[in-house]
Amino acid sequence: NDADELAMVQARVAKKDPAAIFFLGQQYFLGKRGLQQDARKAVELYTEAAKLGSVDALPHLGYAYLRGEGVKRDDVQAMKFFQKGAIQGDAESRHKLGYKKGLMGEHDRAVKHLLISAKMGHEESLNTIKKMCMAKLATKEHYGQALKGYQD
């Protein structure tokens, strides 16, 4: 049941387990397991988990800052978290960097980020490169590389 599961998670949180802290943050963000939805508390937990080494927490922090959920909206801070996540191998963070670079008109940089995340199995990155190819912002070769990498 939710109470028993939450008690086990709380015990791991008390021992500074970054995965448990991140998990608890998700529960607060979504209002699950009998917890009241609380984006501010979720961001606090994501921040603690990230400091303890949770790569999974980084894109969640990026999106919180990007959308102003639980924190003041801050695009610069959001991009810092996506950058940290990308450096540590998180495909979603890498995708978001590519997407934002594309919006900024930096299409070459966008394609580089999106190629990496597509090769990591990020389907949305593959589809974004396809759309960029159709709009002549990326080449057929880029799409071919992304498709091959995604399938491997």
Side-chain angles (χ1 to χ4, degrees):
N1 75 28
D2 285 348
D4 291 340
E5 186 174 347
L6 204 53
M8 287 190 303
V9 170
Q10 291 285 9
R12 290 178 52 206
V13 166
K15 293 179 181 179
K16 300 294 184 191
D17 178 341
I21 295 167
F22 169 69
F23 178 82
L24 186 59
Q26 287 182 304
Q27 304 317 297
Y28 272 106
F29 187 81
L30 299 170
K32 291 195 170 187
R33 306 270 190 293
L35 297 172
Q36 175 106 11
Q37 189 173 14
D38 186 342
R40 187 177 310 269
K41 178 71 172 171
V43 169
E44 289 173 12
L45 290 164
Y46 292 157
T47 301
E48 183 179 354
K51 286 178 183 174
L52 292 170
S54 171
V55 176
D56 292 332
L58 296 170
H60 287 78
L61 284 166
Y63 281 115
Y65 279 93
L66 192 64
R67 297 173 180 149
E69 296 172 332
V71 289
K72 184 179 179 201
R73 185 167 190 234
D74 185 339
D75 286 356
V76 172
Q77 191 66 23
M79 295 311 289
K80 286 180 182 177
F81 283 113
F82 290 131
Q83 183 72 38
K84 285 180 185 178
I87 289 169
Q88 293 184 43
D90 180 69
E92 179 63 25
S93 294
R94 180 70 68 175
H95 169 78
K96 196 61 182 176
L97 282 177
Y99 183 80
K100 291 294 274 184
K101 291 293 182 184
L103 291 177
M104 295 165 52
E106 297 178 33
H107 303 296
D108 289 341
R109 300 266 310 164
V111 168
K112 287 178 184 177
H113 286 298
L114 293 167
L115 274 170
I116 293 168
S117 54
K119 289 175 182 178
M120 295 169 77
H122 197 280
E123 186 175 4
E124 194 173 344
S125 292
L126 175 66
N127 293 333
T128 301
I129 291 174
K130 182 179 181 180
K131 290 174 187 171
M132 289 179 75
C133 184
M134 292 167 57
K136 309 256 189 263
L137 300 172
T139 65
K140 288 181 182 178
E141 290 76 24
H142 288 136
Y143 180 65
Q145 288 175 336
L147 184 60
K148 183 179 182 324
Y150 177 77
Q151 291 172 338
D152 285 348

